[in-house]
Amino acid sequence: MTQTTTAAPESAFETAQAQLRKVAEILELDAGMIGVLAHPKRELTVHFPVRMDDGSTRIFTGYRVQHNDARGPLKGGLRYSSRVTLDEIRALAMWMTWKCAVVNLPYGGAKGGVVVDPRLLSDGELERLTRRYTTEMAIVIGPERDIPAPDMGTDARVMAWMMDTFSMHHGFSIPGVVTGKPVDIGGSQGRFEATGRGALYITQEACHLRGLSLQGATGAVQGFGNVGGVVARMLAQAGAKVVAVSDSRGVVYRDTGLDVESLYSKRLAGGFLDRTDLGPGHREISNAELLELPVDILIPAALEGQITEQNASRIRAGMIVEAANGPVTAGADAILAERDIYLVPDILANAGGVVVSYFEWVQDMQSFFWDETEVNQRLQRIMTKAFSEVSAVAQSRGLRLREAAYVVALKRVMEATRLRGLYP
Ligand code: NAD
């Protein structure tokens, strides 16, 4: 029997570390500063019991990683997924630090996760799990300390349970402990669409810079959840021809363009695409094929590690906008750079969610709420400013947008670290 050895796939934290090292070299950082930036400040792992509907008790594992709070309270989503690992949460926490800094929010970065497939739990089980996880995390979260938000597998309902649980412990309502809540209990107008809307604003800026008109441009979007569903719909509304969208069950493709509005309005529970009555011209292709379509704009909006060293040389999109976190591995990034494929990095492209989370937190702290037009206008201002700052650095230093975004973010985090000094 012949033995073949294949390199282990690059983990999300390895991708995050490689990205940091590359920019540390560009900025000629000293080892002490790299050490500070490369390590999470605090990590909490909990194993906690939940009473299941059949009377049994199941133990779940949850994490909260707080990467860096030099610029302010920590901020980052909470992910429910059976694939969650501490390593993945570390990467996501680090990306939150850079993301908040690149759009200049007064926040540091954190992330949380529970190893669970939420689709396999009843509503009651999910609520008990969320309340117990929140209680376990109560020693590290809070409106001035660390403010969770929805991510994959969690939503406004989960945030409502977290807010209620935290408030019960304190004896009064504390809406600012989480963002992405329902509007009726202190959520912000426009928060649900914010990540997708922000990604659209960034795509518009990138197209403008590249001399590409969105009107008639072809697009493919991987993932049809909170982010992918919204961005696909907004792309189509902006006049783009979206030829493919997908979920974890596969891809819906039509080379003449999809009716995204109809697909969006007919989404099934769990955000799945409704594949009944698609009409003529539609074809099922694989998720791997979606990534390799010859489109103007490819938007990965599902998982990390989708474009790797294995498929990077086959990508035919003219532009990639990373709406998901970490969809391109560091190895793949180098191949895309060599091939001169224009790429807008995650920490810039999907920052719209945390920007409107910040607005929600500000509104909660002031108990004074804005209408959706105001939210969207402020979001657009922040996203376009961030894009122009990053692309100016890219042009002046001859960098790609990813490195330029890291340069902008790292400089801000380092300046805060320098000003605060090293304690004690
Ligand atoms: P979600 O759970 O709402 O949606 C995920 C989508 O991806 C679903 O349609 C799912 O079916 C699909 N999917 C899962 N596995 C897939 C696969 N193998 N191939 C194709 N599709 C697959 O999650 P979301 O909130 O939309 O998050 C998506 C990405 O965006 C994640 O990387 C997340 O970290 C990132 N993100 C989310 C927000 C936010 O505000 N929700 C903000 C910033 C970044």
Side-chain angles (χ1 to χ4, degrees), residues 106-123:
Y107 281 146
K111 202 82 179 190
V114 178
V115 187
V116 60
D117 183 345
R119 294 167 304 183
L120 304 182
L121 265 53
S122 70
D123 284 357

Side-chain angles (χ1 to χ4, degrees), residues 45-67:
T45 299
V46 292
H47 306 284
F48 56 97
V50 176
R51 177 92 56 220
M52 307 306 281
D53 288 347
D54 64 5
S56 65
T57 301
R58 224 175 109 186
I59 304 295
F60 291 89
T61 299
Y63 307 106
R64 187 80 188 165
V65 174
Q66 300 179 332
H67 173 250

Side-chain angles (χ1 to χ4, degrees), residues 345-385:
D346 47 7
I347 59 169
L348 177 60
N350 69 29
V354 73
V355 169
V356 177
S357 271
Y358 167 63
F359 295 163
E360 178 174 333
W361 179 77
V362 167
Q363 292 170 82
D364 287 339
M365 302 304 249
Q366 301 180 339
S367 295
F368 181 73
F369 291 87
W370 315 338
D371 63 26
E372 189 170 348
T373 309
E374 182 164 4
V375 169
N376 292 344
Q377 282 169 351
R378 287 179 187 264
L379 171 65
Q380 185 163 23
R381 268 208 301 278
I382 289 185
M383 298 304 288
T384 51
K385 182 162 185 265

Side-chain angles (χ1 to χ4, degrees), residues 183-200:
V183 170
D184 287 331
I185 54 169
S188 177
Q189 299 290 344
R191 172 61 185 87
F192 176 75
E193 297 87 3
T195 307
R197 184 180 292 279
L200 177 80

Side-chain angles (χ1 to χ4, degrees), residues 111-170:
K111 202 82 179 190
V114 178
V115 187
V116 60
D117 183 345
R119 294 167 304 183
L120 304 182
L121 265 53
S122 70
D123 284 357
E125 289 168 341
L126 199 62
E127 179 173 352
R128 291 194 290 280
L129 175 138
T130 300
R131 289 187 182 278
R132 182 65 189 243
Y133 171 79
T134 308
T135 303
E136 298 290 345
M137 291 295 144
I139 53 173
V140 294
I141 64 172
E144 278 100 15
R145 306 173 76 174
D146 181 355
I147 306 127
D151 190 71
M152 284 178 74
T154 60
D155 55 16
R157 189 174 61 149
V158 169
M159 294 304 115
W161 290 328
M162 290 189 80
M163 178 275 214
D164 185 69
T165 305
F166 192 81
S167 299
M168 287 298 136
H169 284 290
H170 289 78

Side-chain angles (χ1 to χ4, degrees), residues 79 151-152 191 195 224-227 247-248 287 301-302 324-325 350:
R79 178 172 286 196
D151 190 71
M152 284 178 74
R191 172 61 185 87
T195 307
F224 207 64
N226 288 347
V227 180
D247 59 22
S248 55
N287 259 301
N325 285 311
N350 69 29

